[in-house]
Amino acid sequence: MQNVTNNRQYLAAVSGGPDSMAMLDIFKKNIKIVCHVNYHKRDSAKRDETIVMQFCKHYNIIFEKLDATKKLLAQYDSNNFQTCARMLRYDFFNKIAKKYKINHLFVAHNKDDFVETAMMQKARRSMTLFFGILPSQTWKDLIIERPLLSKRKKDLLTYCDRKHIPYGIDETNFDDHYTRNALRKEITKWTDKKFNAKFLEFKKHNVAHTKLRNTIDRAYHKWREGRWDVKLFQRRNHQLQIYILYRFLVDNNIHKISSAKIKLIQQFLLCANKRGTLRMGRQQILMKDKGYICLKKKLV
């Protein structure tokens, strides 16, 4: 489990499920604010909100809640509820972080989540050079940390039961309508030997691509610091351009990323015209002006 700096204070994203409640109990001395999002998509949502709120009251932890209304979700350029929900909650976390001047957030992703994500990435033939979930990353000004990535989901459930930590089970996790849920059910049937073999397979892949990932990271950060200078992009080799464009799209929540879309953007940036626009989605365009690019909301 991740070592936590004793004097550092954290926000924590807590849904009320066993994973996040175990995390909240384990690190309650370091957690100053709990952030809870209620999507009101199921009858048990209020139950989970109450579980989290009462735990925070008992341990004198600040509780911040967001009611995810349809109006709030509609501001995001996606027809996918899961995508909109993710962007909404992380923007909420970032807002609360600024309010309390705390820029570290705990999220309760675990080892099972790591393998689920890696399996989905592999099935999509994703361009990612890192399968799974990173132990830490940033969202705008927020540093996200995942201290439970070494723990199995079943062990966190056992922890809550043994310590009498209240939690709620999200019944939609058993709905095969979502690909991840079907995969999650499949993984629960695996033996520990099979699970560990898959986990090691993805870890080996990640280690093998560390050098290339670092090269891409340096190039991408330099491009970002250069305010998306087109000439800086053009100086990169062809393959590196593709990887940093993929990273650019992911960081800006552009979905349905195909090789054809990346090549189209690459051609757009390599052409001699200093101005132009390219449609990115229902509400976004990529604008090139005076040698720089930026994403803008499409005028209706």
Side-chain angles (χ1 to χ4, degrees), residues 44-98:
S44 56
K46 187 64 180 178
R47 173 206 66 193
D48 294 352
E49 178 186 318
T50 301
I51 287 171
V52 180
M53 184 169 58
Q54 289 181 344
F55 187 100
C56 291
K57 184 177 180 180
H58 181 77
Y59 288 101
N60 198 29
I61 300 170
I62 299 169
F63 176 77
E64 291 278 1
K65 182 192 76 165
L66 175 68
D67 286 301
T69 62
K70 288 182 179 180
K71 184 177 180 180
L72 286 175
L73 290 163
Q75 67 185 302
Y76 297 99
D77 182 26
S78 177
N79 291 319
N80 185 292
F81 170 77
Q82 297 296 334
T83 298
C84 293
R86 182 174 60 253
M87 290 190 287
L88 176 63
R89 66 175 172 266
Y90 277 100
D91 279 345
F92 167 61
F93 301 154
N94 196 51
K95 178 182 176 182
I96 298 302
K98 288 181 178 179

Tab-separated table of all heavy atoms in Angstrom, residues 44-98:
chain	number	residue	atom	x	y	z
A	44	SER	N	-30.911	3.399	-4.227
A	44	SER	CA	-30.005	3.289	-3.074
A	44	SER	C	-28.990	4.434	-2.992
A	44	SER	O	-28.144	4.446	-2.103
A	44	SER	CB	-29.259	1.953	-3.133
A	44	SER	OG	-28.568	1.828	-4.367
A	45	ALA	N	-29.075	5.404	-3.892
A	45	ALA	CA	-28.092	6.495	-3.919
A	45	ALA	C	-28.120	7.314	-2.627
A	45	ALA	O	-27.072	7.701	-2.097
A	45	ALA	CB	-28.341	7.396	-5.123
A	46	LYS	N	-29.314	7.570	-2.115
A	46	LYS	CA	-29.441	8.352	-0.880
A	46	LYS	C	-28.871	7.574	0.304
A	46	LYS	O	-28.260	8.158	1.202
A	46	LYS	CB	-30.915	8.698	-0.628
A	46	LYS	CG	-31.129	9.648	0.552
A	46	LYS	CD	-30.483	11.013	0.277
A	46	LYS	CE	-30.691	11.971	1.441
A	46	LYS	NZ	-30.043	13.272	1.204
A	47	ARG	N	-29.054	6.255	0.298
A	47	ARG	CA	-28.473	5.408	1.352
A	47	ARG	C	-26.961	5.575	1.404
A	47	ARG	O	-26.377	5.757	2.481
A	47	ARG	CB	-28.826	3.940	1.082
A	47	ARG	CG	-28.148	2.936	2.006
A	47	ARG	CD	-28.021	1.577	1.331
A	47	ARG	NE	-27.113	1.635	0.189
A	47	ARG	CZ	-26.998	0.666	-0.726
A	47	ARG	NH1	-27.770	-0.403	-0.652
A	47	ARG	NH2	-26.140	0.797	-1.729
A	48	ASP	N	-26.310	5.524	0.237
A	48	ASP	CA	-24.854	5.639	0.189
A	48	ASP	C	-24.389	7.024	0.642
A	48	ASP	O	-23.398	7.150	1.362
A	48	ASP	CB	-24.345	5.364	-1.234
A	48	ASP	CG	-24.583	3.928	-1.663
A	48	ASP	OD1	-24.994	3.121	-0.815
A	48	ASP	OD2	-24.360	3.618	-2.846
A	49	GLU	N	-25.136	8.043	0.253
A	49	GLU	CA	-24.811	9.404	0.680
A	49	GLU	C	-24.875	9.502	2.211
A	49	GLU	O	-23.981	10.100	2.842
A	49	GLU	CB	-25.796	10.391	0.054
A	49	GLU	CG	-25.572	11.838	0.473
A	49	GLU	CD	-26.644	12.769	-0.044
A	49	GLU	OE1	-27.043	12.620	-1.215
A	49	GLU	OE2	-27.096	13.650	0.723
A	50	THR	N	-25.881	8.914	2.806
A	50	THR	CA	-26.049	8.947	4.264
A	50	THR	C	-24.915	8.209	4.970
A	50	THR	O	-24.410	8.662	6.006
A	50	THR	CB	-27.407	8.332	4.649
A	50	THR	OG1	-28.450	9.068	4.004
A	50	THR	CG2	-27.619	8.375	6.155
A	51	ILE	N	-24.503	7.059	4.418
A	51	ILE	CA	-23.395	6.290	4.997
A	51	ILE	C	-22.135	7.149	5.073
A	51	ILE	O	-21.466	7.212	6.120
A	51	ILE	CB	-23.123	5.021	4.157
A	51	ILE	CG1	-24.232	3.991	4.367
A	51	ILE	CG2	-21.762	4.418	4.512
A	51	ILE	CD1	-24.171	2.804	3.418
A	52	VAL	N	-21.820	7.815	3.973
A	52	VAL	CA	-20.604	8.636	3.920
A	52	VAL	C	-20.722	9.834	4.857
A	52	VAL	O	-19.799	10.154	5.620
A	52	VAL	CB	-20.333	9.116	2.476
A	52	VAL	CG1	-19.064	9.969	2.429
A	52	VAL	CG2	-20.207	7.930	1.516
A	53	MET	N	-21.868	10.491	4.821
A	53	MET	CA	-22.082	11.685	5.634
A	53	MET	C	-21.979	11.368	7.130
A	53	MET	O	-21.352	12.115	7.894
A	53	MET	CB	-23.440	12.292	5.309
A	53	MET	CG	-23.745	13.602	6.022
A	53	MET	SD	-25.223	14.425	5.355
A	53	MET	CE	-26.454	13.135	5.598
A	54	GLN	N	-22.559	10.260	7.561
A	54	GLN	CA	-22.523	9.898	8.981
A	54	GLN	C	-21.123	9.508	9.437
A	54	GLN	O	-20.716	9.822	10.560
A	54	GLN	CB	-23.515	8.757	9.240
A	54	GLN	CG	-24.966	9.196	9.157
A	54	GLN	CD	-25.945	8.071	9.437
A	54	GLN	OE1	-25.590	6.889	9.405
A	54	GLN	NE2	-27.199	8.428	9.690
A	55	PHE	N	-20.362	8.825	8.574
A	55	PHE	CA	-18.979	8.484	8.903
A	55	PHE	C	-18.166	9.768	9.103
A	55	PHE	O	-17.399	9.897	10.073
A	55	PHE	CB	-18.363	7.636	7.789
A	55	PHE	CG	-16.990	7.102	8.111
A	55	PHE	CD1	-16.817	5.791	8.547
A	55	PHE	CD2	-15.853	7.907	7.989
A	55	PHE	CE1	-15.556	5.291	8.855
A	55	PHE	CE2	-14.588	7.421	8.295
A	55	PHE	CZ	-14.433	6.114	8.731
A	56	CYS	N	-18.352	10.722	8.200
A	56	CYS	CA	-17.621	11.991	8.290
A	56	CYS	C	-17.996	12.757	9.558
A	56	CYS	O	-17.126	13.347	10.221
A	56	CYS	CB	-17.902	12.848	7.050
A	56	CYS	SG	-17.193	12.190	5.535
A	57	LYS	N	-19.271	12.741	9.895
A	57	LYS	CA	-19.730	13.428	11.110
A	57	LYS	C	-19.105	12.812	12.352
A	57	LYS	O	-18.678	13.519	13.270
A	57	LYS	CB	-21.255	13.362	11.179
A	57	LYS	CG	-21.850	14.136	12.345
A	57	LYS	CD	-23.379	14.075	12.309
A	57	LYS	CE	-23.967	14.861	13.482
A	57	LYS	NZ	-25.459	14.817	13.464
A	58	HIS	N	-19.034	11.468	12.365
A	58	HIS	CA	-18.473	10.757	13.522
A	58	HIS	C	-16.997	11.083	13.722
A	58	HIS	O	-16.531	11.228	14.865
A	58	HIS	CB	-18.660	9.252	13.329
A	58	HIS	CG	-18.142	8.431	14.473
A	58	HIS	ND1	-18.829	8.297	15.661
A	58	HIS	CD2	-16.988	7.712	14.618
A	58	HIS	CE1	-18.134	7.538	16.493
A	58	HIS	NE2	-17.009	7.163	15.891
A	59	TYR	N	-16.238	11.218	12.626
A	59	TYR	CA	-14.793	11.461	12.721
A	59	TYR	C	-14.400	12.920	12.450
A	59	TYR	O	-13.221	13.223	12.276
A	59	TYR	CB	-14.042	10.531	11.756
A	59	TYR	CG	-14.043	9.091	12.228
A	59	TYR	CD1	-14.916	8.156	11.674
A	59	TYR	CD2	-13.191	8.666	13.241
A	59	TYR	CE1	-14.926	6.836	12.111
A	59	TYR	CE2	-13.194	7.350	13.686
A	59	TYR	CZ	-14.068	6.448	13.117
A	59	TYR	OH	-14.074	5.139	13.556
A	60	ASN	N	-15.412	13.792	12.412
A	60	ASN	CA	-15.164	15.230	12.259
A	60	ASN	C	-14.393	15.531	10.957
A	60	ASN	O	-13.428	16.300	10.946
A	60	ASN	CB	-14.403	15.779	13.471
A	60	ASN	CG	-14.507	17.293	13.581
A	60	ASN	OD1	-15.501	17.884	13.143
A	60	ASN	ND2	-13.478	17.920	14.132
A	61	ILE	N	-14.829	14.928	9.885
A	61	ILE	CA	-14.251	15.159	8.549
A	61	ILE	C	-15.234	15.999	7.747
A	61	ILE	O	-16.447	15.748	7.759
A	61	ILE	CB	-13.988	13.820	7.821
A	61	ILE	CG1	-13.007	12.963	8.626
A	61	ILE	CG2	-13.449	14.054	6.415
A	61	ILE	CD1	-12.877	11.536	8.102
A	62	ILE	N	-14.745	17.002	7.055
A	62	ILE	CA	-15.613	17.878	6.261
A	62	ILE	C	-16.238	17.076	5.112
A	62	ILE	O	-15.554	16.335	4.404
A	62	ILE	CB	-14.823	19.076	5.700
A	62	ILE	CG1	-14.261	19.915	6.856
A	62	ILE	CG2	-15.705	19.943	4.806
A	62	ILE	CD1	-13.247	20.953	6.426
A	63	PHE	N	-17.542	17.233	4.937
A	63	PHE	CA	-18.284	16.505	3.903
A	63	PHE	C	-18.791	17.483	2.854
A	63	PHE	O	-19.493	18.438	3.166
A	63	PHE	CB	-19.459	15.763	4.543
A	63	PHE	CG	-20.357	15.046	3.571
A	63	PHE	CD1	-19.966	13.841	3.004
A	63	PHE	CD2	-21.590	15.574	3.236
A	63	PHE	CE1	-20.803	13.168	2.120
A	63	PHE	CE2	-22.437	14.910	2.351
A	63	PHE	CZ	-22.036	13.702	1.793
A	64	GLU	N	-18.406	17.258	1.604
A	64	GLU	CA	-18.858	18.089	0.486
A	64	GLU	C	-19.583	17.198	-0.515
A	64	GLU	O	-19.067	16.160	-0.927
A	64	GLU	CB	-17.672	18.774	-0.203
A	64	GLU	CG	-16.994	19.851	0.632
A	64	GLU	CD	-17.712	21.194	0.564
A	64	GLU	OE1	-18.754	21.283	-0.132
A	64	GLU	OE2	-17.232	22.157	1.192
A	65	LYS	N	-20.783	17.632	-0.907
A	65	LYS	CA	-21.603	16.811	-1.805
A	65	LYS	C	-21.966	17.575	-3.067
A	65	LYS	O	-22.171	18.793	-3.045
A	65	LYS	CB	-22.883	16.385	-1.089
A	65	LYS	CG	-23.788	15.483	-1.917
A	65	LYS	CD	-25.168	15.314	-1.295
A	65	LYS	CE	-26.017	16.544	-1.506
A	65	LYS	NZ	-27.460	16.288	-1.232
A	66	LEU	N	-22.040	16.853	-4.186
A	66	LEU	CA	-22.539	17.414	-5.435
A	66	LEU	C	-23.723	16.582	-5.905
A	66	LEU	O	-23.630	15.359	-6.018
A	66	LEU	CB	-21.451	17.396	-6.515
A	66	LEU	CG	-21.896	17.847	-7.910
A	66	LEU	CD1	-22.222	19.346	-7.912
A	66	LEU	CD2	-20.838	17.538	-8.962
A	67	ASP	N	-24.842	17.243	-6.174
A	67	ASP	CA	-25.975	16.579	-6.811
A	67	ASP	C	-25.806	16.721	-8.317
A	67	ASP	O	-25.850	17.834	-8.854
A	67	ASP	CB	-27.298	17.217	-6.371
A	67	ASP	CG	-27.663	16.832	-4.949
A	67	ASP	OD1	-27.796	15.626	-4.694
A	67	ASP	OD2	-27.793	17.740	-4.102
A	68	ALA	N	-25.570	15.602	-8.991
A	68	ALA	CA	-25.278	15.617	-10.424
A	68	ALA	C	-26.574	15.664	-11.221
A	68	ALA	O	-27.156	14.640	-11.577
A	68	ALA	CB	-24.455	14.388	-10.805
A	69	THR	N	-27.027	16.865	-11.500
A	69	THR	CA	-28.275	17.047	-12.242
A	69	THR	C	-28.035	16.856	-13.743
A	69	THR	O	-26.894	16.904	-14.220
A	69	THR	CB	-28.825	18.460	-12.013
A	69	THR	OG1	-27.877	19.415	-12.518
A	69	THR	CG2	-29.063	18.719	-10.530
A	70	LYS	N	-29.103	16.647	-14.477
A	70	LYS	CA	-29.005	16.507	-15.938
A	70	LYS	C	-28.412	17.771	-16.564
A	70	LYS	O	-27.670	17.706	-17.540
A	70	LYS	CB	-30.384	16.226	-16.533
A	70	LYS	CG	-30.910	14.833	-16.233
A	70	LYS	CD	-32.256	14.603	-16.901
A	70	LYS	CE	-32.772	13.195	-16.619
A	70	LYS	NZ	-34.101	12.956	-17.263
A	71	LYS	N	-28.738	18.913	-15.998
A	71	LYS	CA	-28.237	20.184	-16.513
A	71	LYS	C	-26.719	20.260	-16.374
A	71	LYS	O	-26.010	20.710	-17.289
A	71	LYS	CB	-28.890	21.350	-15.763
A	71	LYS	CG	-28.492	22.719	-16.287
A	71	LYS	CD	-29.226	23.823	-15.545
A	71	LYS	CE	-28.808	25.203	-16.080
A	71	LYS	NZ	-29.520	26.291	-15.356
A	72	LEU	N	-26.192	19.820	-15.233
A	72	LEU	CA	-24.740	19.832	-15.030
A	72	LEU	C	-24.045	18.849	-15.965
A	72	LEU	O	-22.989	19.145	-16.526
A	72	LEU	CB	-24.415	19.487	-13.578
A	72	LEU	CG	-24.695	20.568	-12.528
A	72	LEU	CD1	-24.437	20.023	-11.134
A	72	LEU	CD2	-23.828	21.804	-12.779
A	73	LEU	N	-24.631	17.676	-16.147
A	73	LEU	CA	-24.033	16.660	-17.021
A	73	LEU	C	-24.058	17.092	-18.481
A	73	LEU	O	-23.158	16.751	-19.257
A	73	LEU	CB	-24.769	15.331	-16.852
A	73	LEU	CG	-24.549	14.617	-15.517
A	73	LEU	CD1	-25.616	13.552	-15.294
A	73	LEU	CD2	-23.162	13.990	-15.465
A	74	ALA	N	-25.078	17.874	-18.861
A	74	ALA	CA	-25.251	18.276	-20.262
A	74	ALA	C	-24.178	19.237	-20.747
A	74	ALA	O	-24.022	19.437	-21.959
A	74	ALA	CB	-26.632	18.909	-20.448
A	75	GLN	N	-23.418	19.816	-19.824
A	75	GLN	CA	-22.387	20.771	-20.247
A	75	GLN	C	-21.186	20.079	-20.886
A	75	GLN	O	-20.337	20.735	-21.495
A	75	GLN	CB	-21.923	21.611	-19.057
A	75	GLN	CG	-21.178	20.822	-17.992
A	75	GLN	CD	-20.831	21.653	-16.773
A	75	GLN	OE1	-20.151	22.669	-16.884
A	75	GLN	NE2	-21.315	21.232	-15.617
A	76	TYR	N	-21.113	18.765	-20.790
A	76	TYR	CA	-19.983	18.019	-21.330
A	76	TYR	C	-20.332	17.413	-22.686
A	76	TYR	O	-21.439	16.910	-22.891
A	76	TYR	CB	-19.541	16.930	-20.348
A	76	TYR	CG	-19.039	17.522	-19.049
A	76	TYR	CD1	-19.870	17.578	-17.931
A	76	TYR	CD2	-17.764	18.068	-18.954
A	76	TYR	CE1	-19.426	18.163	-16.741
A	76	TYR	CE2	-17.320	18.645	-17.771
A	76	TYR	CZ	-18.150	18.688	-16.678
A	76	TYR	OH	-17.714	19.261	-15.511
A	77	ASP	N	-19.379	17.463	-23.607
A	77	ASP	CA	-19.586	17.088	-25.001
A	77	ASP	C	-19.468	15.578	-25.183
A	77	ASP	O	-18.470	15.080	-25.697
A	77	ASP	CB	-18.562	17.819	-25.882
A	77	ASP	CG	-18.751	17.505	-27.359
A	77	ASP	OD1	-19.875	17.166	-27.741
A	77	ASP	OD2	-17.766	17.601	-28.112
A	78	SER	N	-20.481	14.852	-24.729
A	78	SER	CA	-20.478	13.404	-24.915
A	78	SER	C	-21.884	12.861	-24.743
A	78	SER	O	-22.657	13.357	-23.926
A	78	SER	CB	-19.539	12.722	-23.913
A	78	SER	OG	-19.592	11.318	-24.065
A	79	ASN	N	-22.203	11.836	-25.533
A	79	ASN	CA	-23.486	11.152	-25.377
A	79	ASN	C	-23.389	10.021	-24.362
A	79	ASN	O	-24.380	9.367	-24.059
A	79	ASN	CB	-23.937	10.571	-26.730
A	79	ASN	CG	-24.317	11.666	-27.711
A	79	ASN	OD1	-24.955	12.642	-27.338
A	79	ASN	ND2	-23.919	11.514	-28.963
A	80	ASN	N	-22.180	9.782	-23.857
A	80	ASN	CA	-21.929	8.680	-22.933
A	80	ASN	C	-22.049	9.178	-21.501
A	80	ASN	O	-21.296	10.058	-21.070
A	80	ASN	CB	-20.533	8.104	-23.205
A	80	ASN	CG	-20.246	6.884	-22.359
A	80	ASN	OD1	-20.108	6.969	-21.147
A	80	ASN	ND2	-20.133	5.735	-23.003
A	81	PHE	N	-22.996	8.602	-20.743
A	81	PHE	CA	-23.210	9.055	-19.362
A	81	PHE	C	-21.961	8.875	-18.513
A	81	PHE	O	-21.603	9.758	-17.726
A	81	PHE	CB	-24.374	8.293	-18.728
A	81	PHE	CG	-24.500	8.536	-17.248
A	81	PHE	CD1	-25.048	9.713	-16.764
A	81	PHE	CD2	-24.026	7.585	-16.330
A	81	PHE	CE1	-25.131	9.939	-15.390
A	81	PHE	CE2	-24.109	7.818	-14.966
A	81	PHE	CZ	-24.669	8.993	-14.501
A	82	GLN	N	-21.277	7.726	-18.642
A	82	GLN	CA	-20.098	7.446	-17.818
A	82	GLN	C	-19.009	8.488	-18.051
A	82	GLN	O	-18.336	8.922	-17.116
A	82	GLN	CB	-19.568	6.042	-18.135
A	82	GLN	CG	-20.538	4.917	-17.812
A	82	GLN	CD	-20.834	4.810	-16.326
A	82	GLN	OE1	-20.028	5.195	-15.481
A	82	GLN	NE2	-22.001	4.289	-15.978
A	83	THR	N	-18.841	8.905	-19.306
A	83	THR	CA	-17.833	9.916	-19.650
A	83	THR	C	-18.186	11.263	-19.023
A	83	THR	O	-17.345	11.916	-18.400
A	83	THR	CB	-17.722	10.065	-21.174
A	83	THR	OG1	-17.288	8.823	-21.734
A	83	THR	CG2	-16.725	11.154	-21.551
A	84	CYS	N	-19.442	11.676	-19.181
A	84	CYS	CA	-19.888	12.951	-18.610
A	84	CYS	C	-19.782	12.936	-17.088
A	84	CYS	O	-19.359	13.922	-16.473
A	84	CYS	CB	-21.321	13.244	-19.028
A	84	CYS	SG	-21.542	13.552	-20.789
A	85	ALA	N	-20.163	11.812	-16.483
A	85	ALA	CA	-20.121	11.687	-15.021
A	85	ALA	C	-18.697	11.803	-14.510
A	85	ALA	O	-18.443	12.455	-13.483
A	85	ALA	CB	-20.736	10.358	-14.598
A	86	ARG	N	-17.764	11.171	-15.206
A	86	ARG	CA	-16.359	11.235	-14.783
A	86	ARG	C	-15.819	12.667	-14.847
A	86	ARG	O	-15.168	13.146	-13.910
A	86	ARG	CB	-15.509	10.307	-15.652
A	86	ARG	CG	-14.032	10.279	-15.241
A	86	ARG	CD	-13.241	9.241	-16.020
A	86	ARG	NE	-13.257	9.478	-17.451
A	86	ARG	CZ	-13.936	8.759	-18.337
A	86	ARG	NH1	-14.701	7.754	-17.934
A	86	ARG	NH2	-13.886	9.033	-19.618
A	87	MET	N	-16.092	13.361	-15.945
A	87	MET	CA	-15.602	14.735	-16.084
A	87	MET	C	-16.246	15.659	-15.060
A	87	MET	O	-15.575	16.522	-14.480
A	87	MET	CB	-15.865	15.236	-17.506
A	87	MET	CG	-14.997	14.559	-18.559
A	87	MET	SD	-15.098	15.330	-20.190
A	87	MET	CE	-16.730	14.794	-20.715
A	88	LEU	N	-17.542	15.461	-14.807
A	88	LEU	CA	-18.245	16.291	-13.831
A	88	LEU	C	-17.666	16.111	-12.437
A	88	LEU	O	-17.406	17.092	-11.732
A	88	LEU	CB	-19.739	15.949	-13.835
A	88	LEU	CG	-20.590	16.673	-12.787
A	88	LEU	CD1	-20.585	18.174	-13.033
A	88	LEU	CD2	-22.022	16.128	-12.788
A	89	ARG	N	-17.450	14.871	-12.027
A	89	ARG	CA	-16.972	14.662	-10.658
A	89	ARG	C	-15.534	15.166	-10.475
A	89	ARG	O	-15.214	15.726	-9.436
A	89	ARG	CB	-17.123	13.215	-10.228
A	89	ARG	CG	-16.300	12.168	-10.912
A	89	ARG	CD	-16.508	10.795	-10.248
A	89	ARG	NE	-15.882	9.719	-11.001
A	89	ARG	CZ	-16.497	8.980	-11.903
A	89	ARG	NH1	-17.758	9.204	-12.194
A	89	ARG	NH2	-15.855	8.017	-12.543
A	90	TYR	N	-14.686	15.004	-11.487
A	90	TYR	CA	-13.315	15.490	-11.325
A	90	TYR	C	-13.247	17.014	-11.357
A	90	TYR	O	-12.409	17.619	-10.671
A	90	TYR	CB	-12.380	14.857	-12.355
A	90	TYR	CG	-11.913	13.485	-11.907
A	90	TYR	CD1	-12.488	12.329	-12.400
A	90	TYR	CD2	-10.918	13.359	-10.938
A	90	TYR	CE1	-12.088	11.072	-11.964
A	90	TYR	CE2	-10.506	12.111	-10.490
A	90	TYR	CZ	-11.098	10.971	-11.004
A	90	TYR	OH	-10.694	9.742	-10.546
A	91	ASP	N	-14.119	17.651	-12.104
A	91	ASP	CA	-14.200	19.111	-12.042
A	91	ASP	C	-14.691	19.550	-10.655
A	91	ASP	O	-14.227	20.558	-10.109
A	91	ASP	CB	-15.140	19.647	-13.126
A	91	ASP	CG	-14.466	19.741	-14.490
A	91	ASP	OD1	-13.219	19.678	-14.543
A	91	ASP	OD2	-15.185	19.882	-15.498
A	92	PHE	N	-15.605	18.788	-10.082
A	92	PHE	CA	-16.091	19.064	-8.721
A	92	PHE	C	-14.957	18.895	-7.709
A	92	PHE	O	-14.757	19.745	-6.837
A	92	PHE	CB	-17.254	18.117	-8.402
A	92	PHE	CG	-17.655	18.077	-6.957
A	92	PHE	CD1	-18.113	19.215	-6.304
A	92	PHE	CD2	-17.602	16.884	-6.232
A	92	PHE	CE1	-18.505	19.175	-4.971
A	92	PHE	CE2	-17.991	16.830	-4.911
A	92	PHE	CZ	-18.440	17.976	-4.274
A	93	PHE	N	-14.204	17.803	-7.828
A	93	PHE	CA	-13.071	17.580	-6.919
A	93	PHE	C	-12.075	18.733	-7.014
A	93	PHE	O	-11.552	19.208	-6.001
A	93	PHE	CB	-12.360	16.273	-7.245
A	93	PHE	CG	-13.222	15.034	-7.153
A	93	PHE	CD1	-12.917	13.902	-7.906
A	93	PHE	CD2	-14.333	14.993	-6.329
A	93	PHE	CE1	-13.702	12.756	-7.830
A	93	PHE	CE2	-15.131	13.857	-6.243
A	93	PHE	CZ	-14.810	12.732	-6.995
A	94	ASN	N	-11.816	19.169	-8.238
A	94	ASN	CA	-10.855	20.263	-8.451
A	94	ASN	C	-11.359	21.565	-7.810
A	94	ASN	O	-10.581	22.319	-7.215
A	94	ASN	CB	-10.635	20.457	-9.953
A	94	ASN	CG	-9.393	21.268	-10.261
A	94	ASN	OD1	-8.305	20.981	-9.769
A	94	ASN	ND2	-9.544	22.285	-11.086
A	95	LYS	N	-12.649	21.807	-7.919
A	95	LYS	CA	-13.256	23.006	-7.317
A	95	LYS	C	-13.128	22.976	-5.794
A	95	LYS	O	-12.764	23.985	-5.161
A	95	LYS	CB	-14.732	23.084	-7.722
A	95	LYS	CG	-15.486	24.259	-7.123
A	95	LYS	CD	-16.948	24.223	-7.546
A	95	LYS	CE	-17.746	25.348	-6.880
A	95	LYS	NZ	-19.186	25.284	-7.269
A	96	ILE	N	-13.405	21.824	-5.191
A	96	ILE	CA	-13.304	21.691	-3.733
A	96	ILE	C	-11.840	21.807	-3.286
A	96	ILE	O	-11.538	22.388	-2.237
A	96	ILE	CB	-13.916	20.351	-3.269
A	96	ILE	CG1	-15.405	20.293	-3.616
A	96	ILE	CG2	-13.704	20.161	-1.769
A	96	ILE	CD1	-16.240	21.410	-3.036
A	97	ALA	N	-10.939	21.269	-4.083
A	97	ALA	CA	-9.510	21.372	-3.759
A	97	ALA	C	-9.077	22.833	-3.681
A	97	ALA	O	-8.339	23.233	-2.763
A	97	ALA	CB	-8.683	20.630	-4.807
A	98	LYS	N	-9.549	23.635	-4.615
A	98	LYS	CA	-9.207	25.064	-4.607
A	98	LYS	C	-9.852	25.777	-3.413
A	98	LYS	O	-9.244	26.654	-2.807
A	98	LYS	CB	-9.659	25.705	-5.922
A	98	LYS	CG	-8.822	25.303	-7.117
A	98	LYS	CD	-9.298	25.988	-8.389
A	98	LYS	CE	-8.413	25.605	-9.571
A	98	LYS	NZ	-8.875	26.238	-10.832
